[in-house]
Amino acid sequence: MTNSHAARDIDTSRPHSARMYDYYLGGKDHFEIDKHAAEAVASAYPGIFVCARENRAFMHRATRVLAREHGIRQWLDIGTGIPTEPNLHQVAQSVVADARVVYADNDPLVLKYAERLMRSTAEGRTAYIEADVNDPQSLLDAPELTDVLDMRQPVALSLNALMHFVPDDRDPYGIVSRLLDVLPSGSALALSHCTPDFDAPTWQKVTDIYHGAGTPVQFRSRADVARFFDGLELLEPGVEVGHRWRPDTEPTATDAEVSLWTAVGIKP
């Protein structure tokens, strides 16, 4: 698929979650309509910028931990979002040069910039699949997946700030189980998920803004996030607020500012 193909498919008539996230991170790959929606979220929840940064930092730490301490050499990153350096493969390949990463997203703007995700080390490999997490079988059937990843060897399934865009009526737990089922023993799930646990009224406002923009969301409690890890062996410290999951430095943000549950589990 070419960039021109992607550009024709980009819908600028309503905000998109990936482009709003790009705004939260200080990026430039969004449109005015995304900026307005993101600023509405920030007005209700000023911590959204901290939340976005801490989500990204968790992904970096979880990737390094899995590479260094658990021998993971392969990643499937779904809901990749607009490339923001360092991307997952850059983090992984900084630890193990031969790391292989398959990215998947369903936003044409992400596809437009996907070449940024293809700049692998010579020893490693990356690929990009245009796919929707709500249709896991189409992703699993994509030839790029098995072309890059050896599904007989452990794979880390990376779902960062994604599953709160899959409401219960779309079977989020079934989707994650379906993806994990095809991965061998020793594989991992690294997941982050926004939560209303620390400030429910504010997060109801955020929910209303996303719904008004045409994006279904369901922010979940710690217990509901923990359900994604049923049957897995949680790494310490278990399900924890993002900035408290194996931090590199002493956390300075409040739990309410971050409002993000994170965890990493290993498949027995």
Side-chain angles (χ1 to χ4, degrees):
M1 298 180 186
T2 65
N3 288 354
S4 61
H5 173 83
R8 288 197 303 271
D9 290 343
I10 293 171
D11 181 2
T12 59
S13 67
R14 64 180 186 176
H16 191 285
S17 57
R19 304 193 305 255
M20 291 171 67
Y21 183 60
D22 176 73
Y23 179 82
Y24 302 146
L25 289 173
K28 298 179 180 179
D29 295 313
H30 53 265
F31 300 101
E32 197 68 21
I33 196 164
D34 307 305
K35 177 182 176 181
H36 288 161
E39 288 180 341
V41 171
S43 178
Y45 165 45
I48 187 63
F49 302 104
V50 176
C51 176
R53 290 195 301 270
E54 291 297 340
N55 176 67
R56 197 78 187 165
F58 162 74
M59 182 274 282
H60 294 167
R61 296 195 303 275
T63 299
R64 290 195 296 265
V65 165
L66 288 171
R68 287 174 179 160
E69 301 177 19
H70 296 274
I72 297 291
R73 298 293 182 267
Q74 305 186 113
W75 278 259
L76 172 56
D77 181 55
I78 306 176
T80 300
I82 294 165
T84 303
E85 292 197 0
N87 294 292
L88 190 152
H89 75 279
Q90 294 168 310
V91 176
Q93 291 174 351
S94 72
V95 181
V96 283
D98 61 345
R100 296 183 170 214
V101 179
V102 170
Y103 294 104
D105 205 295
N106 68 334
D107 180 12
L109 190 61
V110 180
L111 173 62
K112 180 180 178 183
Y113 292 109
E115 68 270 11
R116 297 183 192 172
L117 304 174
M118 301 298 103
R119 297 169 188 166
S120 171
T121 59
E123 301 93 333
R125 288 188 64 189
T126 63
Y128 179 83
I129 300 171
E130 188 174 17
D132 190 333
V133 71
N134 292 290
D135 184 9
Q137 195 57 50
S138 67
L139 192 159
L140 295 172
D141 288 342
E144 296 93 339
L145 183 68
T146 51
D147 183 48
V148 172
L149 303 184
D150 180 352
M151 304 300 280
R152 300 165 297 179
Q153 300 297 321
V155 175
L157 174 62
S158 181
L159 304 175
N160 290 295
L162 173 66
M163 296 312 294
H164 47 241
F165 294 112
V166 185
D168 282 348
D169 61 5
R170 296 185 181 178
D171 191 23
Y173 300 104
I175 288 171
V176 174
S177 293
R178 176 74 187 91
L179 293 166
L180 287 171
D181 281 348
V182 303
L183 304 182
S185 174
S187 293
L189 170 64
L191 180 145
S192 60
H193 196 298
C194 289
T195 182
D197 283 357
F198 304 103
D199 188 349
T202 289
W203 280 89
Q204 185 57 56
K205 294 177 184 176
V206 175
T207 298
D208 293 343
I209 292 168
Y210 273 96
H211 283 182
T215 300
V217 290
Q218 185 169 343
F219 303 115
R220 297 183 171 92
S221 68
R222 184 181 186 279
D224 287 339
V225 172
R227 282 184 59 197
F228 287 110
F229 293 87
D230 284 354
L232 303 182
E233 298 172 353
L234 281 174
L235 301 186
E236 291 293 334
V239 181
E240 184 55 274
V241 188
H243 62 321
R244 301 188 189 281
W245 195 94
R246 302 199 184 187
D248 295 324
T249 58
E250 186 67 23
T252 57
T254 67
D255 291 354
E257 283 177 314
V258 178
S259 288
L260 187 78
W261 289 120
T262 60
V264 178
I266 302 295
K267 183 175 179 179

